Amino acid sequence: MRIHVVSDVHGNARDLAKAGDGADALVCLGDLVLFLDYADHARGIFPDLFGADNARRIVALRTARRFDEARAFARGLWAELAERGVDKATAVESAVRAQYAELFAALPTPTYATYGNVDIPSLWPVYARPGTTVLDGERVEIGGRVFGFVGGGLPSPMRTPYEVPEEEYAAKVEALGEVDVLCSHIPPDVPELTYDTVARRFERGSGALLAAIRRVRPRYALFGHVHQPLARRMRVGATECVNVGHFASSGRPWALEW
């Protein structure tokens, strides 16, 4: 068996269409939507609405961890649009729908997917086609191995769309039981795996995931979320923990074979 795994697609439909080539299945660990590109300030929903200069400004504020200023700056931009008759929720949903239509059409069959923290789960049933199985707090057998999936992120200063309380997230992890491969969008709460060397901050990792790794001892724990991690791969006990990469920039899936 050969499984290709991607995460943090962030609008890269071109490479996503080829991500399953040569594999028996594709696993996608979320963040399909591109709202704001920290490397290319002209790409994403935010610059489409407000321009690259404003995107550059909000990236700088967030990178400096001036989150309150970033939110105030964004509120001002949205207020200006509202004065011109543009509704925030309608504008964002319309842009997300356009991205989802392209991205879900690019997914190969079969695909097993879970949500990232910037995804909008309520829209996935509209665009997921036959051959795409969406799992969150659920397991599936692929080639004789049990894969468990936990989607979304934990509350953060970024206030992204699919952040769930720690208790709810832990309950999803607990519901998986014994698995061979633990798949999540965010990493376990290990400093080397949660620190982003470019953003210069720790992202939220899950203590519940780390506890499950130590208790269940899956062969692999696969995740994304941290785009430029201090460590892309490390062992925790018997488990190989692997950041499968920022697919939006690399365009290359990570391969798991047995």
Side-chain angles (χ1 to χ4, degrees), residues 83-156:
E83 289 176 0
R84 302 204 299 268
V86 178
D87 176 70
K88 176 181 178 179
T90 302
V92 171
E93 181 173 320
S94 176
V96 170
R97 284 179 177 273
Q99 289 190 17
Y100 276 165
E102 183 179 14
L103 290 160
F104 276 97
L107 289 174
T109 297
T111 291
Y112 302 90
T114 197
Y115 315 111
N117 61 295
V118 302
D119 286 311
I120 302 177
S122 62
L123 294 180
W124 280 36
V126 179
Y127 298 98
R129 303 177 303 167
T132 296
T133 302
V134 180
L135 305 114
D136 188 13
E138 300 164 283
R139 334 160 1 127
V140 66
E141 185 177 312
I142 307 174
R145 290 191 176 178
V146 177
F147 285 64
F149 290 79
V150 184
L154 293 170
S156 75

